[in-house]
Amino acid sequence: MRGPIVFGSLAFTIATVGYSLPGYGASDGALREQVSTIFTQRCAVCHGPAGVRKYAEAKGKFDYVLDLDRLATSGKLVSPGDPQASKLFTLVARDKMPYGADTFAEDPVPAEEKAVIEAWITSLSQPQGNQRALLSNQFILDTIAADLATLPGPRQRQARYLTLTHFYNAGEPEDRLEVYRQGVAKLLNSLTWQSLPVIPKAIDPQGTILRVFLDELGWSSDLWTEIATFDLNELNNLNTAAYNVNPDDARALAYGKATPAAGPLPRRRGFLRRPDPDQAPYTFLKADWFAFVASRPPLYHDILNLPYTLNGIEKILDVDRRANIKEARVVRAGVVESGVGLNNRMVERHDAKWGAYWLSYDFGEDLEEQDLLRNPLGPYGFARSFRFDGGEVIFNLPNGFQAYLLATDEGFRIDKAPTNIVQDATHPTDSTIINGASCFSCHANGMNEVKDEVRAFAQTAGTFTPKQLTQIEALYPPDEVFQPLITADRDRFLDALRSAEIDPSLRDPQGNEPITALIRRFERPLDINLAAAEFGLDTQTFADRLAQTQNNDLKDVAARLKQANLPRNQFLAAFADIRKAAVTQVAQIPTPVQIAALVSEKEGPATSKAQADSAKLADARRGPLEIRSVDENTSWLVQLASGQKLEASQSAGDKLKQQYDELIGKLAFYIEEAKLDKGTFYRVQFGPLQNQGEAAALCEQLESADQDCLVVKPQT
């Protein structure tokens, strides 16, 4: 993956003339004048006001390019202080604007003018007046600990957390945070074979810590560990299998040789975590890092356990592609130009187990047997059969969301696509299509519209035999047959989004759908506000501590952070050194007694007594033991042993609590005295549990470990 575009220092001197935008920090007056000149000369013809622009209607309904105040405050095209987050700058930087005569950037903006635009956007400080109180790392751990304390034992072991707290602390507006929350939900539901929607729950009032249960995703704790310990260096080694088999063929470019990101990319996860695997539920991951690594190979493939071949995924989906094509049980649409393929392209739909299975046929050129209009049949045993170079697959998961696969012409799974065949037009800096991540962006609302050109050509060309024309008409149906299928598949996806409480229309200011917004946020350079927030510190404290460093490399890092242009990979490479210099006090996992107090504060005294009792017992392994009669039990419990000697029952309870600490370590230990005809028995019981189902689930886990267990119901 290429790093974000960052231009060097300006090649000319910019005079310092004070200028202030309403609600924003000072902007250099001379710089503002130069930007205005650039926009007047290069942009106003399409996006200026009436009387200035060339067209009656402004292109893209954007007619205020000369109104710099509006540009800076609208939040649509310019992100003050952050050029990389500004759509206006990224389009110009990639030579996508201004348009020429029906082509991209016929007259590209010179590098020095790009630098002026970048400097102007950087000079616009973020709006003042962020009154949010800092949510510290200790707050994160305390909140997670208190949440776990409210969950029954089996659910505690399934709970995991994704955080957006650093964005909150960095001053991201609430509407942007909501995009990120929904990005988390959308990605999680795109990474599961479960049939029910997964809805992450915010456990803090600010909505920055999201809880999800592994079993609801069908994930194991080992899979979570694989994600949490993923090494970003692996992303520089994505599968580069060629589309075409013959490596000596001039047309056979390697499948996706992208420029590696500069510098090492060390492991990156929530840096507050318990190394003890028995306490893994405290593990949390920053949501943007999770979105970045889980949305692309190898983790995207690993999480979904995607087969290595098209035959493998088709077997799972009950699709017999060869038979379907032969018997015309598919629908196709072919186009000469598409928004993804650089040459002609054909898409093909099959009915599948949970909805649809779509496959594209992509071509390295459009000559001879790769000219789809002249050779629309195939790829199996037809005359006038095309030769394709690879394809992309879209299929429905059981919950209605979509999953994706890239494959060679021989049907082998690969990681990314060659840019001479297909390109991602939505990424601001890298046009390489990466499986998963690029697909989420392109298919934000499911299947895209496509209108077939093959059928009409074949019917008017006069070069096909009657048999061939019949075959073509069977495979390439008329628009009134094809379009309802596209619509139905899109509606299935949109319904799935809504079932997971995701707004299909939600976008960030750059127009990115939620998963892509979260990924792009991770990819962008950092400013000092976000860097401080990554460590749970306020900006001033963070800056002061970095200023004291004697490490020259860190001084360079601090300078770039102040300029809001430290690339993410450089931040990650310096992460350990920054932490050593800036973090003087490490947040601590709260003790059970502290957790009880947190729960009491959160939920009130009515629900906290049992938690406090349980916490005190857990602190001392076995605290003061409560002996009570049968009729005193007011809650659901589990009973693990019984004996006629009190001391023996106490000892048995202590040993059981230690042996099954993971299951019952946080529950209170009770001795129930039962006077029966056979004598007095002292029953070893643990609880309280919320209901019968929770107690039964706990017994099931204990019995699987060969421990006898009975569910005890409340007597009153």
Side-chain angles (χ1 to χ4, degrees):
M1 185 195 73
R2 294 203 299 265
I5 296 173
V6 177
F7 290 93
S9 59
L10 301 183
F12 47 89
T13 301
I14 300 175
T16 304
V17 180
Y19 181 82
S20 179
L21 291 176
Y24 287 77
S27 173
D28 202 297
L31 182 59
R32 175 185 172 91
E33 184 176 345
Q34 292 181 44
V35 168
S36 181
T37 299
I38 293 169
F39 289 167
T40 299
Q41 293 175 347
R42 299 190 177 276
C43 309
V45 64
C46 294
H47 303 294
V52 175
R53 65 175 181 264
K54 175 180 178 182
Y55 306 97
E57 293 283 338
K59 298 295 185 181
K61 298 182 179 180
F62 163 40
D63 62 357
Y64 52 91
V65 72
L66 301 184
D67 186 345
L68 299 191
D69 289 354
R70 183 178 175 187
L71 271 178
T73 58
S74 68
K76 294 180 179 180
L77 295 168
V78 171
S79 180
D82 193 347
Q84 305 298 332
S86 301
K87 187 175 182 179
L88 183 148
F89 175 73
T90 57
L91 287 172
V92 171
R94 294 176 61 206
D95 294 333
K96 295 294 186 181
M97 287 287 179
Y99 279 92
D102 300 323
T103 63
F104 279 140
E106 183 177 86
D107 184 17
V109 176
E112 61 268 25
E113 293 185 14
K114 293 176 181 176
V116 172
I117 298 170
E118 181 184 24
W120 172 67
I121 296 174
T122 301
S123 74
L124 303 170
S125 64
Q126 293 287 345
Q128 303 299 309
N130 176 22
Q131 301 299 318
R132 290 174 178 166
L134 181 75
L135 304 182
S136 67
N137 291 328
Q138 190 63 58
F139 167 85
I140 296 175
L141 292 187
D142 287 350
T143 303
I144 291 175
D147 183 65
L148 287 169
T150 65
L151 301 175
R155 302 312 289 153
Q156 291 177 5
R157 287 180 292 282
Q158 296 292 330
R160 297 294 187 273
Y161 300 88
L162 296 162
T163 62
L164 296 165
T165 316
H166 51 304
F167 290 139
Y168 178 91
N169 287 337
E172 290 274 14
E174 174 57 31
D175 58 350
R176 194 82 58 89
L177 290 173
E178 181 58 22
V179 173
Y180 298 156
R181 292 185 196 104
Q182 296 205 16
V184 171
K186 189 175 181 182
L187 180 57
L188 289 171
N189 281 280
S190 300
L191 294 172
T192 176
W193 289 92
Q194 303 295 91
S195 59
L196 296 178
V198 175
I199 304 174
K201 179 179 179 180
I203 64 169
D204 62 317
Q206 297 80 7
T208 71
I209 306 173
L210 307 179
R211 183 226 294 150
V212 66
F213 293 109
L214 295 181
D215 55 354
E216 292 182 359
L217 291 163
W219 294 4
S220 67
S221 58
D222 287 342
L223 179 57
W224 178 268
T225 300
E226 179 186 348
I227 297 169
T229 57
F230 180 73
D231 186 344
L232 278 176
N233 280 309
E234 294 183 35
L235 294 182
N236 289 332
N237 299 306
L238 297 186
N239 183 338
T240 56
Y243 249 149
N244 297 307
V245 177
N246 181 6
D248 297 324
D249 190 329
R251 296 170 301 184
L253 297 184
Y255 198 83
K257 284 187 176 178
T259 303
L265 292 173
R267 293 182 180 183
R268 178 75 172 98
R269 50 180 168 173
F271 56 85
L272 293 170
R273 58 193 183 278
R274 289 188 128 169
D276 184 347
D278 290 337
Q279 291 153 357
Y282 283 102
T283 300
F284 68 90
L285 301 177
K286 286 184 168 64
D288 56 328
W289 181 87
F290 168 78
F292 183 79
V293 300
S295 64
R296 66 198 64 219
L299 286 182
Y300 179 73
H301 293 159
D302 291 349
I303 294 170
L304 282 171
N305 196 24
L306 293 177
Y308 286 94
T309 65
L310 291 186
N311 287 340
I313 193 62
E314 287 167 2
K315 184 175 181 180
I316 292 172
L317 300 175
D318 291 340
V319 171
D320 188 336
R321 180 159 44 101
R322 186 181 292 266
N324 288 348
I325 293 172
K326 182 178 180 180
E327 298 173 19
R329 294 198 301 263
V330 301
V331 293
R332 289 176 169 179
V335 294
V336 175
E337 295 181 355
S338 73
V340 178
L342 300 188
N343 302 295
N344 41 214
R345 188 180 218 216
M346 188 262 283
V347 295
E348 177 179 276
R349 183 192 185 279
H350 301 250
D351 288 332
K353 191 170 186 178
W354 295 292
Y357 174 79
W358 286 89
L359 174 70
S360 75
Y361 295 85
D362 294 307
F363 303 85
E365 57 184 33
D366 52 12
L367 300 175
E368 300 177 352
E369 69 269 33
Q370 293 204 313
D371 182 342
L372 182 65
L373 292 182
R374 295 180 61 194
N375 300 282
L377 299 172
Y380 306 116
F382 289 93
R384 306 289 290 265
S385 181
F386 55 77
R387 177 178 63 81
F388 71 106
D389 291 318
E392 305 175 40
V393 165
I394 304 173
F395 62 91
N396 288 112
L397 293 163
N399 60 8
F401 282 74
Q402 291 181 172
Y404 308 94
L405 201 71
L406 301 178
T408 66
D409 59 336
E410 292 188 326
F412 292 105
R413 188 191 82 190
I414 41 23
D415 300 330
K416 53 184 181 177
T419 54
N420 71 311
I421 297 177
V422 288
Q423 293 186 5
D424 179 358
T426 68
H427 198 286
T429 61
D430 188 351
S431 61
T432 304
I433 289 181
I434 298 174
N435 193 37
S438 301
C439 309
F440 293 130
S441 176
C442 185
H443 296 279
N445 281 349
M447 297 305 302
N448 296 320
E449 294 288 346
V450 58
K451 188 174 179 62
D452 174 57
E453 300 171 25
V454 171
R455 182 185 179 93
F457 175 84
Q459 290 174 334
T460 58
T463 58
F464 296 93
T465 67
K467 179 180 178 181
Q468 291 167 352
L469 185 58
T470 298
Q471 292 171 331
I472 293 169
E473 290 175 337
L475 292 171
Y476 296 84
D479 200 51
E480 57 266 26
V481 174
F482 186 84
Q483 293 306 325
L485 294 172
I486 286 268
T487 301
D489 290 344
R490 185 187 303 111
D491 288 346
R492 181 187 301 108
F493 180 75
L494 295 176
D495 288 344
L497 290 181
R498 297 184 187 100
S499 72
E501 300 181 5
I502 297 168
D503 179 359
S505 66
L506 194 63
R507 300 290 185 272
D508 73 0
Q510 286 71 49
N512 295 310
E513 60 83 37
I515 298 175
T516 306
L518 204 48
I519 294 171
R520 297 285 189 271
R521 192 65 183 89
F522 179 81
E523 292 175 330
R524 277 169 28 205
L526 287 81
D527 62 12
I528 197 164
N529 296 320
L530 181 56
E534 290 264 353
F535 292 96
L537 299 172
D538 65 85
T539 300
Q540 191 61 54
T541 299
F542 180 74
D544 290 346
R545 291 176 182 174
L546 282 189
Q548 297 171 13
T549 183
Q550 301 303 310
N551 184 322
N552 287 334
D553 290 338
L554 283 189
K555 290 180 180 179
D556 291 341
V557 166
R560 295 202 68 171
L561 286 173
K562 290 179 181 178
Q563 294 176 350
N565 69 352
L566 181 68
R568 171 67 69 168
N569 63 324
Q570 294 186 23
F571 174 73
L572 296 179
F575 189 86
D577 289 338
I578 298 173
R579 181 169 183 247
K580 184 177 180 180
V583 179
T584 60
Q585 184 176 359
V586 179
Q588 301 294 321
I589 302 294
T591 69
V593 171
Q594 291 171 330
I595 293 172
L598 291 167
V599 174
S600 177
E601 180 180 349
K602 179 180 179 181
E603 300 188 357
T607 60
S608 63
K609 183 179 184 303
Q611 297 287 352
D613 290 344
S614 176
K616 291 175 183 176
L617 289 169
D619 266 349
R621 179 59 63 183
R622 181 179 67 83
L625 193 60
E626 182 178 350
I627 301 174
R628 57 190 184 185
S629 63
V630 174
D631 57 6
E632 289 180 307
N633 177 30
T634 60
S635 60
W636 289 93
L637 307 168
V638 293
Q639 180 174 311
L640 305 188
S642 180
Q644 290 188 284
K645 292 185 177 180
L646 176 60
E647 294 79 4
S649 292
Q650 289 177 336
S651 177
D654 287 341
K655 291 178 181 178
L656 288 166
K657 194 173 182 70
Q658 185 173 9
Q659 181 178 357
Y660 300 110
D661 180 67
E662 186 178 286
L663 295 176
I664 61 175
K666 294 184 179 180
L667 299 179
F669 171 24
Y670 303 104
I671 293 289
E672 182 180 82
E673 184 181 51
K675 296 182 178 181
L676 308 176
D677 293 340
K678 299 178 183 179
T680 300
F681 287 80
Y682 297 95
R683 297 168 173 169
V684 178
Q685 300 175 341
F686 295 90
L689 299 163
Q690 292 184 0
N691 51 50
Q692 183 179 4
E694 183 184 336
L698 178 55
C699 267
E700 183 177 346
Q701 288 187 296
L702 288 163
E703 288 169 349
S704 68
D706 295 326
Q707 170 59 49
D708 292 335
C709 182
L710 296 174
V711 173
V712 180
K713 66 180 181 179
Q715 298 300 308
T716 58

